[in-house]
Structures are given as structure tokens and as C-alpha cells.
Amino acid sequence: MSKDSILDKESIDFLEKYLNNAAPTGYESEGQKLWMDYLKPYVDEFFTDSYGTAVGVINPEAEYKVVIEGHADEISWYVNYITDEGFIYVVRNGGSDHQIAASKRVNIHTKKGIVKGVFGWPAIHTREKDSEQSPKIDNICIDVGCTSKDEVEELGVHVGCVITYPDEFFILNENKYVCRALDNRMGGFMIAQVAKLLKENKKKLPFGLYITNAVQEEIGLRGAEMITHRIKPNVAIVTDVTHDTNTPMINKKKSGDTKIGHGPVIAHAPAVQNKLRELLIETAQEKEIPFQRMANSRFTGTDTDAFAYSNGGVPSALISLPLRYMHTTVEMVHKSDVENVIKLIYESVLKIKEGESFSYFD
């Protein structure tokens, strides 16, 4: 493969549009429509399930099935309680970080459209230094400019409305992509780019390739859990994000040593099938793709676990994209890592043989 950039203007324009669209857990469908529209020229067919997971398929008639997968959902909040004075208290939808909420703008999604609001916070002048509180789930609240519960409800806001941040995509210092929801719409973007490369390079696969964008990962890998039983794959390569542990206040002895700009991160974990992982490593070495390693003691915490432990056991592996500031609105990845994850998945898929069992005993 050429060492030139594989991310053309069309790709980056799609990435920006895809990231800027809100797709909170349980409400991913609009983002999935964007993704399927982009992927359409590169696959033979699509199918979706009742909760919104979308799958583009190359060679749908083939018996042997390979999955490449990312997840589509982003963390968010739910309206949980509206006070008589018109303030809105929230609960998490996924692992939303209460500490970053104060003074953030928000979009509340209602049947009448988006209602703007802010997570208000007491001014520094009014806080007692000896008893100062930090933001917590029970003290952060949203102000939508109303003076009563009735006024809030007239806007269309009710308990159960989902809340997202409006922060949008930008490029920092030429090669860092920054946005909310890089976790893990970057995964959906990268697997779509793999399909694009296969088409552009006229590669013919001897198996069915299932480009899978799963929903509801952020609340327990639920979308992958559902779709794997429908696909019944023989192999699954999952991509998600992992932490750049080289920013301040992170303990490498606990969290390992991974860094943006240093390449994809290949996971070692019980759920990661050893022979499939070695195929990834050998591919990276052969194609001179830089990579890093990560150890997960009990589980990966990604959709890898859902695929691995389904259907009697599916050989599964995880390629992670190193990312700074996870579950904030300024998640950051390096352009070269994005390209190298795409390359590693692409080249690895080309090395998989039809009928390969990855058995330890063959």
C-alpha cells in the first residue's frame, strides 16, 4: 500500500459531518443513516436490526463471515427531574463525566426540536473556600432560561429527554482531530475507510465481510451482543479507542504506556484470541505499520468481549486508537494513528483465509 495519505477531502468532509451529528446511546439512527449513505458505494447490501445497529456486507452469499466493527453511540445525559423553579437535574446515559459539565452548553432533544441550555455553576465570588463543592451528579443542573417547571415543559422538555453537547470537530496543529464522540465514531469511520480501500484497490475477498457499526456500546456492549447472534461470524476484528497515558495525572504503572502518534494499540486479553492477535502483529511488522501493545487483565471493556463470548466462541481481536481526554468534549487523536488503524485492519483482512478456524490445536 502507498505511504501517501489515505484520508482524502471526501473522507474528512464525511468525518466532520458524522462527528458533528449527535448520536447518543439509544438514539443512533440519524448517525447511522449518514454512515450507510457514505458506505453505500463500497458494499453489496445493508441490513439493520430493531435497535439500530447497521451492517454493510461485501459478498453476502459467502458462508465464511468476517466482521470488522466499531460502535456508533456517544455518551449523553437524560433529563431526570425538573424543579418548580425550572432547573433540570440529570442522570447519565453512558459514562458521562460530571466533572466537566459545569458551564458547558447543551442540546436537549425534544419532539419540538433542540432546546438550548447550559450547565450553570455558582460564581467563584459566591463559593465558600472552606466548604467549596466540586461538580457532582447531584449538584450539576441545566438552566434553559425558564422560571418554572411549566415553562420548561412548554418547550417540549420532559423527563427522559436525551441531552448532548454541541461541541464540533476541528483540527489542532494540522494533525490532531478533536471533537466529542471520537469514542467511537472514529471506529465507524475507520471501518468504512477499509471498505472504501477494498473497492478502490479492486480487492476480491474469498469470504463475506460484515462492516458493522453497533449501537449501545456505552451502556454495556449491548448492540454488539445483539448483532453477533444474527451475523454468526467466524472471525471478528473490533476497533475502539484507548487512553493516551502520556498526558498529566495518569499513572503508567496502572494504565500502561500508550501515546497518540505512535500507532495502533493491539490488545492482549483473555477475550483476544491469540492466533488472531498474532496475525495482526505479523501483518503490522510485515507492512511496517507502527503499533503499540496493551494488556487488559479481565476484559477489554469493548465490543470485543461481546463477539468473543458469543455463538460458542468467536475468534476476536481488538485494535485500539489511542486517544486523549476520553469522555470529554475535547477528545483528541492523531491523524497518523487513524491512517495506521485503517491500514492494519485492511491488510489483516486480506491475510485471513476462508475457512480458517484459528484453532490452537490444528
Side-chain angles (χ1 to χ4, degrees):
M1 181 182 292
S2 169
K3 293 185 181 297
D4 295 337
S5 176
I6 57 176
L7 300 179
D8 56 21
K9 184 178 184 302
E10 179 194 21
S11 299
I12 299 304
D13 287 348
F14 164 68
L15 176 61
E16 181 170 5
K17 184 178 181 181
Y18 185 47
L19 287 170
N20 289 349
N21 174 81
T25 300
Y27 301 84
E28 301 94 343
S29 60
E30 291 305 312
Q32 296 289 58
K33 291 173 186 176
L34 293 174
W35 183 80
M36 288 189 288
D37 186 60
Y38 178 76
L39 190 61
K40 188 175 182 180
Y42 312 122
V43 298
D44 297 320
E45 67 178 37
F46 284 101
F47 64 86
T48 58
D49 71 10
S50 56
Y51 279 85
T53 290
V55 183
V57 189
I58 298 171
N59 299 338
E61 302 303 320
E63 290 187 16
Y64 193 82
K65 301 175 182 178
V66 176
V67 161
I68 57 175
E69 193 259 10
H71 74 82
D73 58 318
E74 66 179 289
I75 56 172
S76 56
W77 303 97
Y78 280 121
V79 174
N80 187 49
Y81 173 64
I82 305 170
T83 72
D84 291 340
E85 294 76 24
F87 295 105
I88 298 168
Y89 285 82
V90 298
V91 290
R92 292 184 176 92
N93 184 20
S96 300
D97 189 344
H98 53 278
Q99 290 201 13
I100 70 157
S103 82
K104 292 296 298 181
R105 301 179 185 187
V106 297
N107 288 336
I108 304 176
H109 299 258
T110 80
K111 288 184 178 180
K112 295 182 178 181
I114 297 293
V115 173
K116 297 287 186 181
V118 297
F119 273 112
W121 192 248
I124 188 171
H125 319 69
T126 67
R127 304 198 299 263
E128 299 291 341
K129 290 183 180 179
D130 58 353
S131 60
E132 193 168 43
Q133 295 186 56
S134 59
K136 294 181 292 187
I137 193 69
D138 61 358
N139 67 13
I140 56 172
C141 64
I142 293 171
D143 187 336
V144 291
C146 294
T147 58
S148 69
K149 181 178 181 178
D150 288 344
E151 194 177 349
V152 172
E153 291 179 338
E154 285 172 8
L155 294 176
V157 177
H158 56 75
V159 169
C161 283
V162 72
I163 304 158
T164 59
Y165 295 118
D167 301 68
E168 295 192 337
F169 173 82
F170 68 98
I171 297 175
L172 185 68
N173 194 24
E174 297 185 352
N175 57 17
K176 314 298 188 307
Y177 300 153
V178 180
C179 196
R180 44 158 256 293
L182 298 188
D183 174 15
N184 179 37
R185 284 208 279 284
M186 288 305 306
F189 171 74
M190 293 186 297
I191 59 175
Q193 295 304 117
V194 172
K196 181 180 180 183
L197 283 176
L198 290 168
K199 185 76 168 185
E200 290 177 345
N201 294 332
K202 298 181 172 59
K203 297 296 183 180
K204 301 296 184 183
L205 300 175
F207 48 74
L209 185 65
Y210 290 69
I211 302 99
T212 303
N213 209 9
V215 299
Q216 299 196 25
E217 187 272 350
E218 296 291 356
I219 49 86
L221 322 181
R222 300 308 188 190
E225 185 179 286
M226 290 184 277
I227 203 66
T228 185
H229 292 291
R230 178 166 175 181
I231 297 172
K232 294 182 169 54
N234 298 96
V235 183
I237 298 174
V238 173
T239 187
D240 206 326
V241 295
T242 192
H243 304 288
D244 177 337
T245 61
N246 284 263
T247 54
M249 299 192 294
I250 297 179
N251 182 350
K252 291 183 185 178
K253 292 179 181 178
K254 179 180 178 182
S255 301
D257 186 6
T258 49
K259 188 174 185 179
I260 65 170
H262 285 219
V265 181
I266 297 176
H268 294 248
V272 173
Q273 212 272 352
N274 295 337
K275 291 182 75 171
L276 180 58
R277 183 195 63 241
E278 290 308 304
L279 181 146
L280 301 181
I281 291 170
E282 290 165 8
T283 300
Q285 292 169 336
E286 178 186 332
K287 299 299 179 179
E288 299 182 343
I289 300 169
F291 71 95
Q292 307 172 78
R293 298 179 192 257
M294 169 179 63
N296 300 103
S297 61
R298 292 179 62 84
F299 47 81
T300 71
T302 72
D303 284 340
T304 312
D305 303 337
F307 280 95
Y309 301 131
S310 71
N311 298 290
V314 175
S316 301
L318 172 62
I319 302 172
S320 297
L321 176 68
L323 173 142
R324 291 180 173 176
Y325 319 123
M326 194 181 297
H327 285 204
T328 73
T329 57
V330 290
E331 294 181 337
M332 181 189 303
V333 298
H334 199 293
K335 176 186 177 183
S336 69
D337 293 334
V338 174
E339 292 180 316
N340 282 319
V341 170
I342 295 164
K343 290 176 184 177
L344 182 53
I345 298 173
Y346 171 83
E347 297 290 357
S348 297
V349 164
L350 292 177
K351 280 190 169 293
I352 295 174
K353 296 180 175 63
E354 181 187 15
E356 174 62 60
S357 70
F358 294 94
S359 171
Y360 297 143
F361 306 105
D362 289 347

